[in-house]
């Protein structure tokens, strides 16, 4: 069901899903890199990436469900901050352990 405000809310909700899927793809690349380097410290970015993927998937699901209601709530400003924190932690762990 499309909310009364048009398709903008639906597009916003759906935009989180490809972001989460892209994060899963990056996590798989990190896993491949860790395997090529005989595991060890390479698993730390994989753990961060997997955690980030799960967090983004949960945010995507909850935000999409909330936007599909007849009266969607405004976005919680903490959601993008939490997502950014996890993405930054993953990127930093990748750079520091490379």
């Amino acid at each position: 069901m499309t909310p009364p405000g048009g398709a903008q809310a639906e597009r916003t909700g759906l935009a989180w899903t490809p972001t989460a899927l892209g994060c899963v793809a990056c996590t798989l690349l990190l896993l491949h890199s860790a395997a090529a380097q005989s595991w060890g410290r390479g698993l730390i970015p994989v753990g961060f990436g997997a955690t980030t993927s799960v967090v983004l998937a949960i945010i995507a699901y909850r935000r999409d469900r909330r936007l599909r209601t007849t009266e969607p709530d405004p976005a919680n400003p903490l959601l993008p901050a939490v997502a950014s924190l996890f993405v930054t932690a993953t990127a930093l762990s990748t750079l520091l352990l490379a």
Side-chain angles (χ1 to χ4, degrees):
M1 178 175 117
T2 303
Q8 181 180 1
E10 187 175 356
R11 285 192 309 269
T12 301
L14 292 174
W16 283 92
T17 303
T19 304
L21 290 175
C23 189
V24 169
C26 290
T27 301
L28 292 175
L29 290 172
L30 288 172
L31 185 63
H32 176 71
S33 176
Q37 297 174 0
S38 302
W39 304 101
R41 292 184 339 175
L43 284 178
I44 295 170
V46 173
F48 277 114
T51 304
T52 302
S53 297
V54 170
V55 167
L56 288 175
I58 291 170
I59 291 173
Y61 176 76
R62 292 186 67 202
R63 189 69 188 137
D64 188 44
R65 296 273 302 192
R66 185 165 288 147
L67 285 172
R68 290 179 184 264
T69 62
T70 55
E71 291 294 325
D73 299 337
N76 185 344
L78 218 54
L79 292 181
V82 169
S84 296
L85 177 70
F86 278 96
V87 170
T88 302
T90 304
L92 284 176
S93 71
T94 303
L95 290 174
L96 294 175
L97 296 174

